[in-house]
Amino acid sequence: DASPATAGTNVTVSNGGPALILPAGAVILSISVNDAGAGSCDIGATGYNSGTADNNFFASGLDVSAVGTTSVGAVVTGTPLTEMSYVTVTDNTSGAGTVGGYITYFVVDPLFGQQNV
């Protein structure tokens, strides 16, 4: 859930809950909206240690006005994180209300499965 009134607002795990943090190597596959608001938003990342922010790292112009799923493509980038990061949201068009949903992601294994042998 997030109300993106301020650029780079942290996405929370639940309304009023802790900030959503993804691990280094996380790659978002899709973003699903199950509680629509209005307008569109950008989904970004802010480095946990570095504080470096990219307000549309994961998605640019994500439509949150209707329930649905957006997969990697023109809107969702599929770019892996280089460090553990907060997931952020920024209002892209005139939006209203809060938005709820799910982020599906995987984590790139830097050891190519060696630890699973």
Side-chain angles (χ1 to χ4, degrees):
D1 286 332
S3 179
T6 306
T9 301
N10 285 347
V11 170
T12 58
V13 175
S14 61
N15 194 9
L20 175 60
I21 302 172
L22 295 182
V27 176
I28 289 183
L29 296 174
S30 65
I31 300 172
S32 299
V33 174
N34 68 354
D35 180 13
S40 64
C41 64
D42 297 333
I43 306 295
T46 299
Y48 185 83
N49 291 318
S50 70
T52 302
D54 182 342
N55 288 338
N56 58 0
F57 185 84
F58 293 119
S60 180
L62 177 69
D63 181 5
V64 294
S65 65
V67 172
T69 298
T70 304
S71 299
V72 172
V75 175
V76 177
T77 65
T79 304
L81 284 171
T82 57
E83 70 172 306
M84 184 169 64
S85 299
Y86 292 100
V87 177
T88 62
V89 61
T90 302
D91 195 8
N92 184 274
T93 61
S94 296
T98 58
V99 174
Y102 302 93
I103 294 175
T104 304
Y105 71 95
F106 70 92
V107 179
V108 175
D109 179 4
L111 300 176
F112 305 105
Q114 293 174 10
Q115 70 276 20
N116 294 322
V117 178

